[in-house]
Amino acid sequence: MKKIEEYVRSIPDFPEPGIIFRDVTSVLQDADGLKLAIDSMQKYVEEVDCDVICGTESRGFIFGMPIAYNLHKPFVLIRKKGKLPMKTVEESYDLEYGSATIEMHADAIKPGQKVVIIDDLIATGGTVEACAKLVERLGGTVSRIVFLMELEGLKGREKLKNYDVKSVIHYEGK
């Protein structure tokens, strides 16, 4: 059986020279790669006590939903601003060029619930840091944050130093 790293397509000089883009679509397009990715991430979720699984838009949905289904846990969407129909809480964060805002329904997390946050990639850590703040604002506790891939050179873990972070694949660069 192949290792999960073998399913990730690496594209040099995208989106700009010197960057190696780690393409998750090549994992999704291969049934064995997709199963291995879900199973590998799920092991990190099974190690901790959790009541709810949250996933970030959009690739956190792809990986978080099957894990929530497999573990018989509720799944909470964390979306870009303006996409959820009910009362929401929001958190803004900085991007390389500009800022963004994410939201979740105000009733999605109950006080005292233990939450695992799922996303495909940790780069600078800003998006998931904002997710953790939303969970905590609603009274939840972040039990763990799980990523498929980590770009260690961008030091996203530093923003998440107060959380239990696990990544299946580690890349040294950016």
Side-chain angles (χ1 to χ4, degrees), residues 30 40 44 75 94 102 117 133 142 146:
D30 187 290
S40 299
Y44 286 138
F75 184 77
D94 291 328
I102 56 171
I117 300 170
K133 288 178 181 178
V142 177
V146 178

Side-chain angles (χ1 to χ4, degrees), residues 84-97:
L84 294 171
M86 301 297 290
K87 182 180 177 191
T88 61
V89 291
E90 66 180 48
E91 185 72 30
S92 295
Y93 60 98
D94 291 328
L95 299 167
E96 187 175 358
Y97 302 104

Side-chain angles (χ1 to χ4, degrees), residues 60-159:
F61 298 176
I62 293 169
F63 294 106
M65 269 298 301
I67 294 169
Y69 176 84
N70 289 342
L71 299 179
H72 194 70
K73 303 285 183 185
F75 184 77
V76 171
L77 304 172
I78 301 174
R79 300 213 57 196
K80 295 173 186 167
K81 184 176 175 69
K83 302 290 185 179
L84 294 171
M86 301 297 290
K87 182 180 177 191
T88 61
V89 291
E90 66 180 48
E91 185 72 30
S92 295
Y93 60 98
D94 291 328
L95 299 167
E96 187 175 358
Y97 302 104
S99 63
T101 302
I102 56 171
E103 299 180 314
M104 66 185 344
H105 280 135
D107 62 355
I109 303 295
K110 309 293 184 271
Q113 285 187 313
K114 296 177 271 310
V115 177
V116 171
I117 300 170
I118 304 280
D119 204 357
D120 70 319
L121 176 77
I122 178 175
T124 63
T127 303
V128 173
E129 180 187 35
C131 294
K133 288 178 181 178
L134 286 175
V135 167
E136 292 166 346
R137 188 173 316 138
L138 292 176
T141 302
V142 177
S143 297
R144 179 168 277 173
I145 302 170
V146 178
F147 299 98
L148 178 61
M149 298 182 284
E150 179 171 352
L151 304 178
E152 293 175 347
L154 293 174
K155 303 185 186 316
R157 231 176 235 265
E158 290 177 10
K159 275 193 181 148

Side-chain angles (χ1 to χ4, degrees), residues 9 13 25-26 28 45 47 66 83 90 108 141 166 171:
R9 182 173 33 206
D13 299 321
T25 63
S26 55
L28 302 175
V45 177
E47 294 174 350
K83 302 290 185 179
E90 66 180 48
T141 302
K166 299 289 184 188
Y171 293 105

Side-chain angles (χ1 to χ4, degrees), residues 28-45:
L28 302 175
Q29 293 169 353
D30 187 290
D32 292 333
L34 178 59
K35 181 171 179 16
L36 184 56
I38 298 295
D39 290 349
S40 299
M41 294 174 81
Q42 184 171 310
K43 286 177 187 172
Y44 286 138
V45 177

